[in-house]
Amino acid sequence: MTGMLPSYLQGEWWVPAGEPSDASGTEVRDPSTGEPIVRVSAEGADLAGALEYARTVGQASLGALTFHQRALLLKEFALALTDRKQELYDLSARAGATQRDSLSDIDGGIGVLFTYSSKGRRELPNGQVYLDGPVEPLAKDGSFLGRHVYTRLPGVAVQINAFNFPVWGALEKFAPAFLAGVPSLVKPATPTAYLAEAWVRILVETGRVPAGSLQLVSGSVPGLFDHLGLGDTVSFTGSASTAALLRDQAAPGVRFTSETDSINASVLGPDAVPGTPEFDAYVRQLMVELTTKAGQKCTAIRRAIVPEASVDALVEAVRAAIAQRVVLGDPRAEGVTMGPLVSTEQRDEVLAAVGALEAAGGRLLLGTTDAPEIVRADGSTGRAPEGAFVEPLLVGFTDAAAEAVHEIEAFGPVASVLAYRTLDEAAALVDLGGGSLVTSVATNDPGVATELMSRIAAFNGRVLFLSRDNARTSTGHGSPVPHLVHGGPGRAGGGEELGGIRAVLHYMQRTAVQGSPEMLTALTGLWHQGAAVQQGRHPFRKSLAELELGDQVVSASREVTLDDIETFAHFTGDTFYAHMDEAAAEANPFFPGRVAHGYLLVSWAAGLFVDPDPGPVLANYGLENLRFLTPVSPGDTIRVILTAKQITPRETDEYGEVRWDAVILNQHDELVATYDVLTLVAKQLPVAEPSVAGPVGAASA
């Protein structure tokens, strides 16, 4: 790869006009060898035009799709990247990443796409409006209701990413924005922008990316914020200082969220003494965080907070583990397990930060800042001054509360070891970081975990408790997962990413909507009590294509007798006293005497509303939100009203899901029970097969 790295803007690949020269753009070099890879510049790019293209073309193309349709496209994108994953691995090695590093970045990014595709189809409706919380009755007669809804923002999601995770870091922003229906403008960090260009190109070449939904700008973007306004978002990952500068540039209506560097901690519990599974797990975890991505992770352990008596044992255990498992060198060389930093500039920054830690009272407990011996791509060994190599370093402090160790981050394979005597001290040291993305605690003592959690949770976006029970299955201190939030308070940026569907909602606006049941039904795609209903043909005889919200069946009544209650009790084994002992039931403050089982009533309700013959209803797959409200005594009667509440076609199946509003009433029209019935219904009625026999009276041959 040589020349100028393209951007993808307004549906076309673009590079600055003219021939690239030594003076144009920024040169990116291989951090292992120093060889030039590519030049990066966006000089002359029409950024205002790109934003307008996203707001018009991108919004229109994504707005025509439902959540489920967007989710299925995310799965297609994940499969496309999986098919061409080796191309990304080869480029990642040029950025200094080992196979393990690439796994966390490339496979991790693909995993985000798969996760949001799955969650989008399971947790979002097949529509364009997301409901937040239950309906709120605002009038006694039910004629005026309110509820909260989410709708997509009308602008563009600007995503500014860090150099260390050019695939995962970008896709974890892109996937939820795409699912929400908001187009993305991706701005990668220059040192690894060629990896971002590669994954974007793979997706574009599928021909399945909706027009305007994904754009890439390779290079600096001066003036970009001048064109942002209400409805636009900025998601930034990088240094706290850069985040502060960008936040000041953002107009008041722009949603700005940041995930920045933080001085993450890992606490070795007082019970996790040498020889315990927790101590061994802690050592493995610390070594992984020092060496994966050469320590260039916003979630890496920067402060190892350790009982005073275990400091020496920990340092020696880490030293032995590194000697046994870590081979520093060019990732393309066989056997190398740790690569260089992303650039020589980054190497110099890390060494300067280590120098600042030493000047503040720190001393090297493990490793040296001298140029290390490394394995070159051809298998030879030696020093490589042209490379960006730094070996793993542990820094010790006599004063664990020294200001510098809680403020200076060496963004590389560097961690400080801090001793504590009490849990109060350990918690206080964690909190001195001023807000972190993650803290981990290695302990098998629930009491230790509970005390630390109460003290440190407010200072962290995520807390991981590592013990012998999960040491082998834990995803690790430094590995955010798409199901849980990623972000943190204070120094960590105060933002939040991932967290399942929470991340999708960051690109949507929550609005309180008020109106009649009929209006809310039309606006939300969910039938509300009091809206119009249709009775007549039994709704179980209707295919998904025929079924409408408000289709309803009102059953006949059925009397409940004492024999019914006793039969059900003996048949099921549920002989709870409220159903079998009159005196005990009367003594209960909730019952007038013996009452029917709630599940007897639900079972009978199914018998009252069901149409039993074969038809479009394929299966009942669950009940939700079941509440028993009024007890039913022998001699009472019940009836059920079943109403089509929500209709969700499945994009890839010949059936869909129907949610039915079920209400059981007694002879006084009092609410006995309310719940939702979930069924699978065929999209079309089965076509009747022609008769094998000929017409009546026809002669046989």
Side-chain angles (χ1 to χ4, degrees), residues 262-268 282 286 290 299-306 314 357 394-395 397 400-409 414-419 425-440 456 459-460 477 491:
S262 65
I263 315 297
N264 307 296
S266 183
V267 180
L268 181 66
Y282 187 89
L286 181 56
L290 281 170
T299 53
I301 296 171
R302 302 301 177 200
R303 297 173 296 155
I305 299 174
V306 181
L314 172 73
L357 290 171
L394 289 181
V395 183
F397 278 82
E403 189 174 303
V405 74
H406 303 288
E407 290 190 357
I408 297 173
E409 180 179 31
V414 183
S416 297
V417 180
L418 309 177
E425 285 186 14
L429 291 173
V430 171
D431 298 348
L432 283 175
S436 299
L437 295 172
V438 56
T439 288
S440 58
I456 69 176
F459 293 82
N460 285 273
H477 169 102
R491 175 176 176 141

Side-chain angles (χ1 to χ4, degrees), residues 310-327:
S310 296
V311 169
D312 291 343
L314 172 73
V315 173
E316 291 310 308
V318 173
R319 188 191 313 277
I322 287 174
Q324 181 180 5
R325 301 178 188 176
V326 176
V327 178

Side-chain angles (χ1 to χ4, degrees), residues 592-617:
R594 294 175 67 179
V595 295
H597 306 69
Y599 296 110
L600 164 62
L601 303 177
V602 171
S603 300
W604 276 17
L608 288 170
F609 67 63
V610 75
D611 184 310
D613 294 332
V617 177

Side-chain angles (χ1 to χ4, degrees), residues 211-234:
S213 64
L214 174 60
Q215 298 182 82
L216 172 77
V217 56
S218 302
S220 299
V221 287
L224 176 68
F225 279 42
D226 296 339
H227 306 291
L228 300 179
L230 183 64
D232 297 323
T233 71
V234 175

